[in-house]
Amino acid sequence: MRADRKLWMTATICAVVAAGVTGCSQGEDKAAADPFKGLTAEAIADKAVATTKAATAFRMTGTGTTDGEEMTVDFSVDAKGTCKGSMKAAKGGTAEVIGTGDTSYMKGNEAFWRSSGGEEGASAGETDAMSNALKGRWLAMPAGADGDTAAFCDLKAIVKDMDEDTPRKGMTRGDDADVDGKAAATLVKKGDKGETTTFYVARDAAKPYILRVVETGGKEPGTMTLGDFDKPVTVTAPPAGETVDMEQLMKTLTAS
């Protein structure tokens, strides 16, 4: 079963939400001294990536398409391995994810589990068995049991992907903008396949976080918004009676 391979990539390939990015910042922000004066766009991007990587927690939200399917993602994670979030596909598949450090839990509706089974090449009988076994219950996954799902609650893995997947070479700086009330510098990267990636970086000399990433054109247009930096994530593990572990699930599938 595959929930998603890379949460960071899931977020960044979501569809553009243009309403969240307005033109230029207003009032005092507009008149404020430029904290990036004298820096190239690439240098600003490097500072933004380094600052965001150093955060002890953050929230990622995005809406759009991944693997050809529309999806909405809302996910929070901290450095202690605590996480919580949700994803929703246009075809009706929805799932919640929570993690407590040593175990991740996923709870999906029937459409989600049937879609997951189909992607993994499960037979119709196996898919039926999986859907029935997990109906209204959480799938419990010990850390390290599944590299893909374990990465959901691994802040280091997420920021590593962020660093590797952030194209900084050849960036140019555009007009400043406003992202959810925060003044931001815009950094633009033109791709060789018709895509344009725009980074919105907080105009903050001390904490120039990445606030939003927007990609237009190309095969995977999308948007991702970051927030709640350094805000701890609080979750409660589901009761044992509401969970199914991997061993139980595999026995169910083998018997089907």
Side-chain angles (χ1 to χ4, degrees):
M1 289 166 294
R2 179 186 67 82
D4 208 339
R5 290 182 294 275
K6 289 185 178 181
L7 195 60
W8 174 264
M9 290 304 293
T10 300
T12 56
I13 59 181
C14 291
V16 176
V17 181
V21 182
T22 59
C24 296
S25 53
Q26 302 294 320
E28 294 182 359
D29 287 337
K30 187 173 181 179
D34 182 4
F36 307 128
K37 184 177 181 180
L39 294 180
T40 64
E42 184 177 326
I44 297 172
D46 285 341
K47 285 175 65 70
V49 169
T51 301
T52 305
K53 286 178 63 178
T56 59
F58 52 69
R59 178 184 180 187
M60 301 186 295
T61 58
T63 301
T65 58
T66 178
D67 295 334
E69 184 176 11
E70 293 184 0
M71 182 172 289
T72 298
V73 175
D74 186 341
F75 191 80
S76 298
V77 60
D78 68 20
K80 296 180 180 180
T82 307
C83 67
K84 63 180 178 181
S86 63
M87 59 185 74
K88 181 178 180 180
K91 295 180 181 179
T94 62
E96 298 175 70
V97 177
I98 60 177
T100 59
D102 57 353
T103 306
S104 297
Y105 301 87
M106 180 172 287
K107 183 178 182 180
N109 64 0
E110 181 177 358
F112 177 83
W113 292 124
R114 288 188 176 279
S115 175
S116 297
E119 289 175 352
E120 292 299 317
S123 67
E126 290 173 330
T127 299
D128 287 340
M130 178 175 69
S131 178
N132 291 331
L134 295 172
K135 185 176 182 179
R137 306 179 78 182
W138 294 85
L139 176 61
M141 300 164 287
D146 184 319
D148 294 337
T149 51
F152 270 144
C153 297
D154 188 339
L155 183 63
K156 290 183 178 180
I158 293 172
V159 296
K160 181 175 182 292
D161 284 341
M162 176 191 69
D163 192 359
E164 294 175 351
D165 298 329
T166 301
R168 275 104 78 185
K169 297 293 185 181
M171 279 187 163
T172 59
R173 184 171 177 179
D175 294 333
D176 287 348
D178 179 283
V179 177
D180 296 336
K182 297 183 177 69
T186 63
L187 311 174
V188 182
K189 167 72 175 181
K190 299 284 187 179
D192 56 7
K193 296 182 179 180
E195 72 277 11
T196 298
T197 305
T198 304
F199 291 85
Y200 295 81
V201 177
R203 280 176 48 107
D204 185 328
K207 294 186 176 181
Y209 290 119
I210 296 174
L211 300 179
R212 179 167 291 156
V213 181
V214 174
E215 184 168 331
T216 58
K219 295 181 179 180
E220 297 178 329
T223 189
M224 178 202 64
T225 299
L226 292 179
D228 290 347
F229 295 101
D230 300 322
K231 182 178 180 179
V233 181
T234 303
V235 303
T236 300
E242 297 179 11
T243 67
V244 176
D245 62 32
M246 294 295 290
E247 184 177 354
Q248 289 175 293
L249 182 60
M250 293 309 297
K251 287 181 179 179
T252 299
L253 298 182
T254 301
S256 64

Short mmCIF file of all heavy atoms in Angstrom, two decimals, residues 123-186:
data_model
loop_
_atom_site.label_atom_id
_atom_site.label_comp_id
_atom_site.label_asym_id
_atom_site.label_seq_id
_atom_site.Cartn_x
_atom_site.Cartn_y
_atom_site.Cartn_z
N SER A 123 -5.20 -8.10 -5.89
CA SER A 123 -6.35 -8.68 -6.57
C SER A 123 -7.63 -8.09 -6.01
O SER A 123 -7.62 -7.43 -4.96
CB SER A 123 -6.36 -10.20 -6.37
OG SER A 123 -6.62 -10.50 -5.00
N ALA A 124 -8.73 -8.32 -6.72
CA ALA A 124 -10.02 -7.80 -6.26
C ALA A 124 -10.35 -8.36 -4.88
O ALA A 124 -10.85 -7.65 -4.00
CB ALA A 124 -11.12 -8.17 -7.25
N GLY A 125 -10.05 -9.66 -4.67
CA GLY A 125 -10.31 -10.27 -3.37
C GLY A 125 -9.48 -9.67 -2.27
O GLY A 125 -9.97 -9.42 -1.16
N GLU A 126 -8.21 -9.40 -2.55
CA GLU A 126 -7.33 -8.79 -1.57
C GLU A 126 -7.76 -7.37 -1.24
O GLU A 126 -7.74 -6.95 -0.09
CB GLU A 126 -5.89 -8.80 -2.08
CG GLU A 126 -5.25 -10.18 -2.14
CD GLU A 126 -3.90 -10.17 -2.81
OE1 GLU A 126 -3.68 -9.31 -3.70
OE2 GLU A 126 -3.05 -11.01 -2.45
N THR A 127 -8.17 -6.65 -2.28
CA THR A 127 -8.63 -5.28 -2.07
C THR A 127 -9.89 -5.26 -1.22
O THR A 127 -10.03 -4.43 -0.31
CB THR A 127 -8.89 -4.59 -3.42
OG1 THR A 127 -7.68 -4.56 -4.17
CG2 THR A 127 -9.38 -3.17 -3.21
N ASP A 128 -10.82 -6.18 -1.49
CA ASP A 128 -12.04 -6.27 -0.68
C ASP A 128 -11.69 -6.58 0.77
O ASP A 128 -12.23 -5.97 1.70
CB ASP A 128 -12.96 -7.36 -1.22
CG ASP A 128 -13.65 -6.97 -2.53
OD1 ASP A 128 -13.71 -5.76 -2.80
OD2 ASP A 128 -14.12 -7.87 -3.23
N ALA A 129 -10.78 -7.55 0.97
CA ALA A 129 -10.40 -7.94 2.32
C ALA A 129 -9.74 -6.80 3.07
O ALA A 129 -10.01 -6.58 4.26
CB ALA A 129 -9.46 -9.15 2.25
N MET A 130 -8.87 -6.07 2.38
CA MET A 130 -8.19 -4.94 3.01
C MET A 130 -9.19 -3.85 3.39
O MET A 130 -9.16 -3.32 4.51
CB MET A 130 -7.13 -4.36 2.07
CG MET A 130 -6.41 -3.15 2.64
SD MET A 130 -5.07 -2.58 1.56
CE MET A 130 -6.03 -1.93 0.17
N SER A 131 -10.09 -3.52 2.48
CA SER A 131 -11.07 -2.49 2.73
C SER A 131 -11.96 -2.85 3.91
O SER A 131 -12.26 -2.01 4.77
CB SER A 131 -11.93 -2.26 1.47
OG SER A 131 -12.92 -1.29 1.71
N ASN A 132 -12.38 -4.13 3.97
CA ASN A 132 -13.24 -4.57 5.07
C ASN A 132 -12.50 -4.58 6.40
O ASN A 132 -13.05 -4.19 7.44
CB ASN A 132 -13.79 -5.97 4.77
CG ASN A 132 -14.79 -5.97 3.63
OD1 ASN A 132 -15.47 -4.97 3.40
ND2 ASN A 132 -14.88 -7.08 2.90
N ALA A 133 -11.24 -5.03 6.38
CA ALA A 133 -10.45 -5.11 7.61
C ALA A 133 -10.18 -3.73 8.21
O ALA A 133 -10.06 -3.58 9.43
CB ALA A 133 -9.14 -5.83 7.35
N LEU A 134 -10.05 -2.73 7.34
CA LEU A 134 -9.68 -1.39 7.80
C LEU A 134 -10.87 -0.43 7.90
O LEU A 134 -10.68 0.74 8.22
CB LEU A 134 -8.63 -0.81 6.86
CG LEU A 134 -7.29 -1.54 6.85
CD1 LEU A 134 -6.38 -1.02 5.75
CD2 LEU A 134 -6.61 -1.42 8.21
N LYS A 135 -12.04 -0.91 7.64
CA LYS A 135 -13.23 -0.04 7.68
C LYS A 135 -13.40 0.55 9.08
O LYS A 135 -13.57 -0.16 10.08
CB LYS A 135 -14.47 -0.84 7.30
CG LYS A 135 -15.73 0.02 7.21
CD LYS A 135 -16.91 -0.80 6.73
CE LYS A 135 -18.16 0.08 6.59
NZ LYS A 135 -19.32 -0.70 6.10
N GLY A 136 -13.32 1.87 9.16
CA GLY A 136 -13.49 2.56 10.43
C GLY A 136 -12.35 2.37 11.41
O GLY A 136 -12.48 2.72 12.60
N ARG A 137 -11.23 1.83 10.96
CA ARG A 137 -10.11 1.55 11.86
C ARG A 137 -8.82 2.17 11.34
O ARG A 137 -8.70 2.51 10.17
CB ARG A 137 -9.95 0.03 12.03
CG ARG A 137 -11.23 -0.66 12.47
CD ARG A 137 -11.05 -2.15 12.61
NE ARG A 137 -10.36 -2.51 13.84
CZ ARG A 137 -10.04 -3.76 14.18
NH1 ARG A 137 -10.34 -4.76 13.35
NH2 ARG A 137 -9.43 -4.02 15.31
N TRP A 138 -7.85 2.30 12.24
CA TRP A 138 -6.55 2.87 11.91
C TRP A 138 -5.56 1.75 11.61
O TRP A 138 -5.50 0.76 12.34
CB TRP A 138 -6.01 3.67 13.08
CG TRP A 138 -6.79 4.90 13.43
CD1 TRP A 138 -7.89 4.95 14.24
CD2 TRP A 138 -6.53 6.24 13.00
NE1 TRP A 138 -8.34 6.24 14.34
CE2 TRP A 138 -7.52 7.06 13.60
CE3 TRP A 138 -5.57 6.82 12.18
CZ2 TRP A 138 -7.57 8.44 13.40
CZ3 TRP A 138 -5.61 8.18 11.98
CH2 TRP A 138 -6.61 8.98 12.58
N LEU A 139 -4.77 1.90 10.55
CA LEU A 139 -3.69 0.98 10.27
C LEU A 139 -2.46 1.47 11.03
O LEU A 139 -2.00 2.59 10.82
CB LEU A 139 -3.38 0.94 8.77
CG LEU A 139 -2.17 0.08 8.35
CD1 LEU A 139 -2.39 -1.38 8.75
CD2 LEU A 139 -1.92 0.20 6.85
N ALA A 140 -1.95 0.63 11.94
CA ALA A 140 -0.80 1.00 12.76
C ALA A 140 0.48 0.52 12.08
O ALA A 140 0.60 -0.65 11.71
CB ALA A 140 -0.91 0.37 14.15
N MET A 141 1.44 1.43 11.91
CA MET A 141 2.68 1.13 11.21
C MET A 141 3.87 1.54 12.06
O MET A 141 4.13 2.74 12.22
CB MET A 141 2.71 1.85 9.86
CG MET A 141 1.57 1.45 8.94
SD MET A 141 1.34 2.62 7.57
CE MET A 141 0.61 4.01 8.45
N PRO A 142 4.60 0.60 12.66
CA PRO A 142 5.78 0.95 13.45
C PRO A 142 6.80 1.70 12.60
O PRO A 142 6.91 1.46 11.39
CB PRO A 142 6.32 -0.41 13.90
CG PRO A 142 5.15 -1.34 13.81
CD PRO A 142 4.35 -0.84 12.64
N ALA A 143 7.52 2.61 13.20
CA ALA A 143 8.55 3.36 12.48
C ALA A 143 9.52 2.40 11.83
O ALA A 143 9.99 1.45 12.45
CB ALA A 143 9.29 4.28 13.44
N GLY A 144 9.79 2.61 10.53
CA GLY A 144 10.72 1.76 9.81
C GLY A 144 10.05 0.59 9.12
O GLY A 144 10.67 -0.09 8.31
N ALA A 145 8.75 0.36 9.40
CA ALA A 145 8.06 -0.77 8.77
C ALA A 145 7.81 -0.50 7.30
O ALA A 145 7.79 -1.39 6.47
CB ALA A 145 6.74 -1.03 9.48
N ASP A 146 7.61 0.75 6.95
CA ASP A 146 7.36 1.15 5.57
C ASP A 146 8.07 2.46 5.35
O ASP A 146 7.71 3.46 5.95
CB ASP A 146 5.85 1.29 5.33
CG ASP A 146 5.51 1.62 3.88
OD1 ASP A 146 6.23 2.45 3.28
OD2 ASP A 146 4.55 1.06 3.35
N GLY A 147 9.08 2.47 4.52
CA GLY A 147 9.88 3.68 4.32
C GLY A 147 9.08 4.87 3.89
O GLY A 147 9.37 6.01 4.24
N ASP A 148 8.03 4.65 3.08
CA ASP A 148 7.23 5.75 2.58
C ASP A 148 6.40 6.38 3.68
O ASP A 148 6.39 7.60 3.87
CB ASP A 148 6.30 5.27 1.45
CG ASP A 148 7.08 4.84 0.22
OD1 ASP A 148 8.23 5.29 0.07
OD2 ASP A 148 6.55 4.05 -0.57
N THR A 149 5.65 5.56 4.42
CA THR A 149 4.79 6.11 5.45
C THR A 149 5.59 6.59 6.65
O THR A 149 5.19 7.55 7.32
CB THR A 149 3.75 5.06 5.90
OG1 THR A 149 4.43 3.84 6.22
CG2 THR A 149 2.74 4.79 4.81
N ALA A 150 6.70 5.94 6.95
CA ALA A 150 7.52 6.38 8.08
C ALA A 150 8.02 7.80 7.85
O ALA A 150 8.16 8.58 8.79
CB ALA A 150 8.70 5.44 8.26
N ALA A 151 8.28 8.17 6.59
CA ALA A 151 8.78 9.51 6.27
C ALA A 151 7.76 10.59 6.55
O ALA A 151 8.11 11.77 6.66
CB ALA A 151 9.21 9.56 4.80
N PHE A 152 6.48 10.22 6.68
CA PHE A 152 5.45 11.20 6.99
C PHE A 152 5.79 11.98 8.25
O PHE A 152 5.58 13.17 8.33
CB PHE A 152 4.09 10.52 7.19
CG PHE A 152 3.28 10.37 5.94
CD1 PHE A 152 2.51 9.24 5.75
CD2 PHE A 152 3.29 11.33 4.96
CE1 PHE A 152 1.75 9.09 4.60
CE2 PHE A 152 2.54 11.20 3.81
CZ PHE A 152 1.77 10.07 3.63
N CYS A 153 6.25 11.28 9.26
CA CYS A 153 6.50 11.90 10.57
C CYS A 153 7.96 12.21 10.80
O CYS A 153 8.37 12.49 11.94
CB CYS A 153 5.97 11.00 11.67
SG CYS A 153 4.18 10.74 11.60
N ASP A 154 8.77 12.12 9.79
CA ASP A 154 10.21 12.36 9.90
C ASP A 154 10.53 13.74 9.34
O ASP A 154 10.66 13.92 8.13
CB ASP A 154 10.96 11.27 9.14
CG ASP A 154 12.47 11.33 9.38
OD1 ASP A 154 12.97 12.40 9.78
OD2 ASP A 154 13.14 10.31 9.15
N LEU A 155 10.65 14.71 10.23
CA LEU A 155 10.90 16.08 9.79
C LEU A 155 12.21 16.17 9.02
O LEU A 155 12.29 16.89 8.01
CB LEU A 155 10.93 17.01 11.00
CG LEU A 155 11.13 18.50 10.71
CD1 LEU A 155 9.96 19.04 9.90
CD2 LEU A 155 11.28 19.28 12.01
N LYS A 156 13.23 15.42 9.45
CA LYS A 156 14.52 15.47 8.76
C LYS A 156 14.39 14.98 7.32
O LYS A 156 15.00 15.53 6.41
CB LYS A 156 15.56 14.64 9.52
CG LYS A 156 15.99 15.25 10.84
CD LYS A 156 17.07 14.40 11.50
CE LYS A 156 17.55 15.02 12.81
NZ LYS A 156 18.59 14.19 13.46
N ALA A 157 13.61 13.91 7.12
CA ALA A 157 13.42 13.38 5.77
C ALA A 157 12.67 14.37 4.89
O ALA A 157 12.98 14.54 3.71
CB ALA A 157 12.66 12.05 5.84
N ILE A 158 11.68 15.05 5.48
CA ILE A 158 10.90 16.02 4.72
C ILE A 158 11.76 17.19 4.28
O ILE A 158 11.73 17.61 3.11
CB ILE A 158 9.69 16.50 5.54
CG1 ILE A 158 8.71 15.35 5.75
CG2 ILE A 158 8.99 17.66 4.85
CD1 ILE A 158 7.58 15.66 6.70
N VAL A 159 12.56 17.75 5.20
CA VAL A 159 13.39 18.90 4.83
C VAL A 159 14.53 18.49 3.91
O VAL A 159 15.01 19.31 3.11
CB VAL A 159 13.91 19.65 6.08
CG1 VAL A 159 12.76 20.23 6.87
CG2 VAL A 159 14.76 18.75 6.95
N LYS A 160 14.96 17.24 4.00
CA LYS A 160 15.98 16.76 3.06
C LYS A 160 15.40 16.76 1.65
O LYS A 160 16.06 17.20 0.70
CB LYS A 160 16.44 15.36 3.45
CG LYS A 160 17.51 14.76 2.54
CD LYS A 160 17.98 13.41 3.08
CE LYS A 160 19.09 12.81 2.22
NZ LYS A 160 18.59 12.42 0.89
N ASP A 161 14.19 16.26 1.51
CA ASP A 161 13.52 16.30 0.21
C ASP A 161 13.36 17.74 -0.25
O ASP A 161 13.55 18.07 -1.43
CB ASP A 161 12.14 15.63 0.29
CG ASP A 161 12.23 14.12 0.33
OD1 ASP A 161 13.28 13.57 -0.06
OD2 ASP A 161 11.25 13.48 0.74
N MET A 162 12.97 18.61 0.68
CA MET A 162 12.77 20.01 0.34
C MET A 162 14.04 20.62 -0.22
O MET A 162 14.03 21.32 -1.23
CB MET A 162 12.33 20.78 1.58
CG MET A 162 12.18 22.28 1.38
SD MET A 162 11.97 23.15 2.95
CE MET A 162 13.60 22.92 3.67
N ASP A 163 15.16 20.34 0.44
CA ASP A 163 16.45 20.88 0.01
C ASP A 163 16.80 20.36 -1.39
O ASP A 163 17.17 21.12 -2.29
CB ASP A 163 17.53 20.47 1.00
CG ASP A 163 18.84 21.21 0.80
OD1 ASP A 163 18.93 22.04 -0.13
OD2 ASP A 163 19.78 20.96 1.57
N GLU A 164 16.64 19.04 -1.59
CA GLU A 164 17.02 18.44 -2.87
C GLU A 164 16.07 18.82 -4.00
O GLU A 164 16.48 18.87 -5.16
CB GLU A 164 17.04 16.92 -2.72
CG GLU A 164 18.13 16.41 -1.77
CD GLU A 164 18.06 14.91 -1.55
OE1 GLU A 164 17.06 14.30 -2.00
OE2 GLU A 164 18.99 14.36 -0.94
N ASP A 165 14.82 19.11 -3.67
CA ASP A 165 13.82 19.38 -4.70
C ASP A 165 13.58 20.86 -4.93
O ASP A 165 12.64 21.24 -5.64
CB ASP A 165 12.49 18.71 -4.34
CG ASP A 165 12.60 17.20 -4.27
OD1 ASP A 165 13.43 16.64 -5.02
OD2 ASP A 165 11.89 16.57 -3.47
N THR A 166 14.39 21.72 -4.31
CA THR A 166 14.24 23.15 -4.49
C THR A 166 15.27 23.65 -5.50
O THR A 166 16.46 23.75 -5.18
CB THR A 166 14.42 23.91 -3.15
OG1 THR A 166 13.45 23.44 -2.21
CG2 THR A 166 14.22 25.40 -3.35
N PRO A 167 14.84 23.97 -6.73
CA PRO A 167 15.79 24.41 -7.76
C PRO A 167 16.20 25.86 -7.56
O PRO A 167 15.43 26.79 -7.79
CB PRO A 167 14.98 24.25 -9.05
CG PRO A 167 13.56 24.46 -8.63
CD PRO A 167 13.46 23.93 -7.22
N ARG A 168 17.45 26.10 -7.12
CA ARG A 168 17.88 27.47 -6.85
C ARG A 168 18.72 28.09 -7.96
O ARG A 168 18.84 29.30 -8.05
CB ARG A 168 18.69 27.50 -5.55
CG ARG A 168 17.83 27.63 -4.31
CD ARG A 168 17.69 26.36 -3.54
NE ARG A 168 18.86 26.06 -2.73
CZ ARG A 168 18.99 24.92 -2.04
NH1 ARG A 168 18.03 24.02 -2.06
NH2 ARG A 168 20.06 24.69 -1.33
N LYS A 169 19.31 27.28 -8.80
CA LYS A 169 20.16 27.81 -9.86
C LYS A 169 19.31 28.57 -10.90
O LYS A 169 18.26 28.10 -11.31
CB LYS A 169 20.91 26.68 -10.56
CG LYS A 169 21.88 25.91 -9.66
CD LYS A 169 23.05 26.78 -9.24
CE LYS A 169 24.06 25.95 -8.44
NZ LYS A 169 25.21 26.78 -8.00
N GLY A 170 19.80 29.72 -11.31
CA GLY A 170 19.13 30.47 -12.36
C GLY A 170 17.90 31.22 -11.93
O GLY A 170 17.08 31.62 -12.76
N MET A 171 17.72 31.43 -10.63
CA MET A 171 16.56 32.18 -10.14
C MET A 171 16.72 33.68 -10.37
O MET A 171 17.83 34.20 -10.40
CB MET A 171 16.36 31.94 -8.64
CG MET A 171 15.66 30.66 -8.28
SD MET A 171 15.32 30.62 -6.50
CE MET A 171 14.08 29.32 -6.47
N THR A 172 15.58 34.34 -10.50
CA THR A 172 15.57 35.80 -10.57
C THR A 172 14.57 36.31 -9.53
O THR A 172 13.64 35.60 -9.15
CB THR A 172 15.16 36.31 -11.96
OG1 THR A 172 13.84 35.81 -12.29
CG2 THR A 172 16.15 35.87 -13.02
N ARG A 173 14.77 37.53 -9.08
CA ARG A 173 13.85 38.09 -8.09
C ARG A 173 12.77 38.91 -8.78
O ARG A 173 13.04 39.74 -9.63
CB ARG A 173 14.61 38.95 -7.08
CG ARG A 173 13.72 39.48 -5.95
CD ARG A 173 14.51 40.14 -4.86
NE ARG A 173 13.63 40.69 -3.82
CZ ARG A 173 14.03 41.31 -2.73
NH1 ARG A 173 15.34 41.47 -2.51
NH2 ARG A 173 13.16 41.77 -1.85
N GLY A 174 11.51 38.65 -8.38
CA GLY A 174 10.40 39.39 -8.93
C GLY A 174 9.90 40.44 -7.96
O GLY A 174 10.59 40.80 -6.99
N ASP A 175 8.71 40.97 -8.21
CA ASP A 175 8.13 41.96 -7.31
C ASP A 175 7.76 41.32 -5.97
O ASP A 175 7.35 40.16 -5.92
CB ASP A 175 6.86 42.56 -7.93
CG ASP A 175 7.16 43.37 -9.18
OD1 ASP A 175 8.29 43.88 -9.29
OD2 ASP A 175 6.26 43.48 -10.03
N ASP A 176 7.90 42.08 -4.91
CA ASP A 176 7.50 41.58 -3.61
C ASP A 176 5.99 41.34 -3.59
O ASP A 176 5.24 41.93 -4.37
CB ASP A 176 7.89 42.56 -2.50
CG ASP A 176 9.40 42.57 -2.25
OD1 ASP A 176 10.09 41.67 -2.76
OD2 ASP A 176 9.87 43.47 -1.54
N ALA A 177 5.55 40.47 -2.69
CA ALA A 177 4.13 40.10 -2.64
C ALA A 177 3.69 39.95 -1.19
O ALA A 177 4.46 40.20 -0.25
CB ALA A 177 3.91 38.79 -3.39
N ASP A 178 2.43 39.58 -1.02
CA ASP A 178 1.86 39.35 0.30
C ASP A 178 1.32 37.93 0.33
O ASP A 178 0.56 37.53 -0.55
CB ASP A 178 0.73 40.36 0.56
CG ASP A 178 0.07 40.15 1.92
OD1 ASP A 178 -0.73 39.21 2.05
OD2 ASP A 178 0.34 40.94 2.83
N VAL A 179 1.72 37.15 1.32
CA VAL A 179 1.24 35.78 1.47
C VAL A 179 0.55 35.67 2.82
O VAL A 179 1.21 35.70 3.86
CB VAL A 179 2.39 34.76 1.37
CG1 VAL A 179 1.87 33.35 1.59
CG2 VAL A 179 3.08 34.86 0.01
N ASP A 180 -0.76 35.58 2.78
CA ASP A 180 -1.55 35.46 4.01
C ASP A 180 -1.18 36.53 5.04
O ASP A 180 -1.02 36.25 6.23
CB ASP A 180 -1.36 34.07 4.63
CG ASP A 180 -1.90 32.96 3.74
OD1 ASP A 180 -2.79 33.25 2.92
OD2 ASP A 180 -1.42 31.81 3.86
N GLY A 181 -1.02 37.76 4.55
CA GLY A 181 -0.73 38.88 5.44
C GLY A 181 0.73 39.10 5.76
O GLY A 181 1.07 40.02 6.49
N LYS A 182 1.60 38.26 5.22
CA LYS A 182 3.04 38.41 5.46
C LYS A 182 3.74 38.91 4.21
O LYS A 182 3.51 38.40 3.11
CB LYS A 182 3.65 37.06 5.88
CG LYS A 182 3.10 36.49 7.19
CD LYS A 182 3.82 35.21 7.54
CE LYS A 182 3.35 34.65 8.87
NZ LYS A 182 1.98 34.15 8.82
N ALA A 183 4.60 39.91 4.38
CA ALA A 183 5.37 40.43 3.25
C ALA A 183 6.36 39.37 2.79
O ALA A 183 7.00 38.70 3.60
CB ALA A 183 6.11 41.70 3.67
N ALA A 184 6.48 39.22 1.48
CA ALA A 184 7.35 38.17 0.95
C ALA A 184 8.10 38.64 -0.28
O ALA A 184 7.58 39.39 -1.11
CB ALA A 184 6.52 36.94 0.60
N ALA A 185 9.34 38.17 -0.41
CA ALA A 185 10.11 38.35 -1.63
C ALA A 185 9.76 37.20 -2.56
O ALA A 185 9.55 36.08 -2.10
CB ALA A 185 11.60 38.35 -1.32
N THR A 186 9.68 37.46 -3.85
CA THR A 186 9.38 36.39 -4.80
C THR A 186 10.62 36.06 -5.61
O THR A 186 11.34 36.94 -6.07
CB THR A 186 8.25 36.79 -5.77
OG1 THR A 186 8.67 37.90 -6.56
CG2 THR A 186 6.99 37.17 -5.01
#
